Amino acid sequence: MDLRNEHLNLGEWMELIDSSLADPGSEPLLNLEGDEDPVYDAVFVGGGAGGRFGASYMKAMGGRPLIIDAWPFLGGSCPHQACVPHHLFSEAAEELDRMRWFSDELFFPKFDASRASILELVKLFLAGRGSAHAFMNWQTKEQLDVEYVLNARATIVDKHTVTAAGKTFRTKNLVLGMGARPVNPDIPGLDLRGVYDFVSLVEELDYEPTRCVIIGGSKVAMEYGSFFQATGCDTTIVSRSPLMRTKVLHHVDEDLRRYVVDGMRQRGMTILEEATPISVNGVDGSVRSVTVRLVTGEEVELETDFVFLGTGERPTVEQAQKTLGIEVGPTGRVVVNKRMQTSVPGVYAIGDMISGPMEMFKARKSGVCAARNIMGEDLEFDFTEFPDFLHTTYEVTWVGLSEAEARETYGDDNVIIIQMPPYVEGLDTPNLPLPCAEGTMLYAFSKPELSGFQKLVIDGESRKVVGAHHVGYGAKDAFQYLDFLIHRPEGLTIDTLGWMNELFLNPEHFVQLSRLRAGNAKLRHM
Ligand SMILES: Cc1cc2nc3c(=O)[nH]c(=O)nc-3n(C[C@H](O)[C@H](O)[C@H](O)COP(=O)(O)OP(=O)(O)OC[C@H]3O[C@@H](n4cnc5c(N)ncnc54)[C@H](O)[C@@H]3O)c2cc1C
Ligand SMILES: NC(=O)c1ccc[n+]([C@@H]2O[C@H](COP(=O)([O-])OP(=O)(O)OC[C@H]3O[C@@H](n4cnc5c(N)ncnc54)[C@H](OP(=O)(O)O)[C@@H]3O)[C@@H](O)[C@H]2O)c1
């Protein structure tokens, strides 16, 4: 379907996307300038976070990019199956948690668990997800003026030629942004009905689970597990590493970790750490239990009607590896340098296909980095340090070094900790209504132990903030800026932080807490 001279509104885009998704044989959606056999500056294979941002930046710089995507929409997995449902579910988990704690208190109604349904939230997501897709197709065409071919799988012929939708496209450069897909552990029984991952959960769930066993122990396990538990679906996490101690997560502070994991247990979740899943067992083709070897060596059988896999993702590298011979590392990620160049000149790889965190900032910025290099800039993108977050029923955010890492780097005597609630023997901190902040005010005044945790880590000698850690609500945005400030060459000192203008009642309290201590020539803990 040639859409070049059509100017669809959002409702029309939604209808077109929905009907294309419903019919796997539906025709490609073409937004092409229409000139004879153009040579593009870059063809972006994959129009997800990386491809769409990279192509848009290239267009803004005066280049000519083309995006090809197998789905009938731009934006990729994030709005379709990953971040957006995760945030919807995590927000539901937060609301449900509050409603449970305050059931029949103040103005809260008595909590009715029968109205908290996983299936209903999945349906709510499916009914609404098209609006983000429609917006991105519209914006990329009408506001960003980027050419694209959607609903068409690309075949890479060589590094200058790609075919899709029955057409051949010629290009000077190739940018691979083909994403990743869930990877299953090698255990028997995963083909039983009732075994899901983050993709099949939204695409295929057709019953209300009553008990859940999650395999895996990182972000997906903790976020989806917290949501399932909050709906009333009894959830057990089977994790081979301690939670938040998986290799993928760096700089996790032990006190923050303990507050988060204890909080999950307090809400009724069973968390089996250093446990090995042995098999998923079924009756009549449906899941009935999971056999697990505990840290003690004992084997137990956990009854369940719902198994959820959060065991990570594998990049989609096969086609490019086979056709172009690009180098792929031992973990299955495409090897690139800091300019996103692969081992084959003129071929770039971005987003979840390359090493580093599988996160949106990296996907988008790596796409932009590839585009800027193709357009002649000499730009490197180093993503070794970054702020991070996950959800439980809280928002958990951190940046820089953990306390233990700081002690190792700067020496025990030099590290200064400012935290809330403070660690002081005999102070009865569980009953201290602190932090008392945005999003936890109701808890602070009635269930103080639920009101969060925060810690600032400072190198006492240089007075620079080297780490910040937060459990609560509403602080995530601040961490984007804290990350920038503490990673500048001049860093961020307690003196500068303490002289900032807080928007009281600010969720992380870091500004005013620093101000209380900044007057000390020799800094002290608080
Ligand atoms: C459950 C979950 C929650 C997440 N939540 C967050 C979050 O809150 N914050 C965050 O920062 N990150 C989050 N992430 C990570 C984030 O979703 C990814 O890092 C990001 O989407 C990767 O973008 P990408 O462009 O590399 O790949 P994708 O967005 O996956 O895009 C790849 C595109 O390539 C296309 N494609 C593949 N092969 C072909 C082909 N042969 N021809 C044409 N097209 C092709 C696909 O159709 C797809 O559109 C989450 C991930 C998961 C799994
Ligand atoms: N920003 C966000 O909020 C957000 C949210 C969700 C997802 N994401 C991103 O999406 C990606 C996928 O997330 P994820 O949590 O599924 O994956 P992940 O971070 O790669 O973690 C995979 C988990 O599965 C475990 N595991 C792997 N193979 C296993 C096996 N064979 N048997 C038992 N356990 C196994 C790992 O254990 P070990 O620890 O022992 O290795 C780890 O706990 C990640 O890169 C993540 O950053 C981001």
Side-chain angles (χ1 to χ4, degrees), residues 113-129:
S114 70
R115 293 186 60 186
S117 153
I118 299 171
L119 188 58
E120 241 179 61
L121 259 293
V122 166
K123 284 184 183 161
L124 181 74
F125 169 67
L126 288 177
R129 74 174 166 184

Side-chain angles (χ1 to χ4, degrees), residues 86-87 183-187 198 215-221 223-224 238-242 245-249 275 277 309-313 333 352 356-359 388-391:
H86 140 220
H87 281 260
V183 58
N184 289 347
D186 187 17
I187 57 173
F198 72 89
I215 299 176
S218 193
K219 289 186 179 181
V220 169
E223 290 169 338
Y224 284 66
V238 178
S239 177
R240 69 182 180 191
S241 303
R245 285 282 168 241
T246 180
K247 282 189 291 297
V248 171
L249 301 182
L309 304 173
T311 43
E313 293 183 81
R333 315 273 195 109
D352 283 356
M358 287 180 165
E359 302 286 342
D388 212 351
F389 83 98
L390 57 78
H391 290 107

Side-chain angles (χ1 to χ4, degrees), residues 44-52 68-71 73-79 81-87 152-156 177-180 198 219-220 223-224 313 316 319 350-353 357-364 366 389 391 476:
F44 288 77
V45 183
R52 192 174 94 93
I68 304 175
D69 202 288
W71 274 327
F73 55 85
L74 293 163
S77 58
C78 172
Q81 295 160 335
C83 331
V84 176
H86 140 220
H87 281 260
R153 192 157 285 281
T155 302
I156 300 164
M178 296 150 90
F198 72 89
K219 289 186 179 181
V220 169
E223 290 169 338
Y224 284 66
E313 293 183 81
T316 312
Q319 193 193 152
I350 59 175
D352 283 356
M353 291 184 83
M358 287 180 165
E359 302 286 342
M360 289 296 278
F361 84 90
K362 191 201 83 188
R364 290 167 168 172
S366 59
F389 83 98
H391 290 107
K476 197 168 76 172

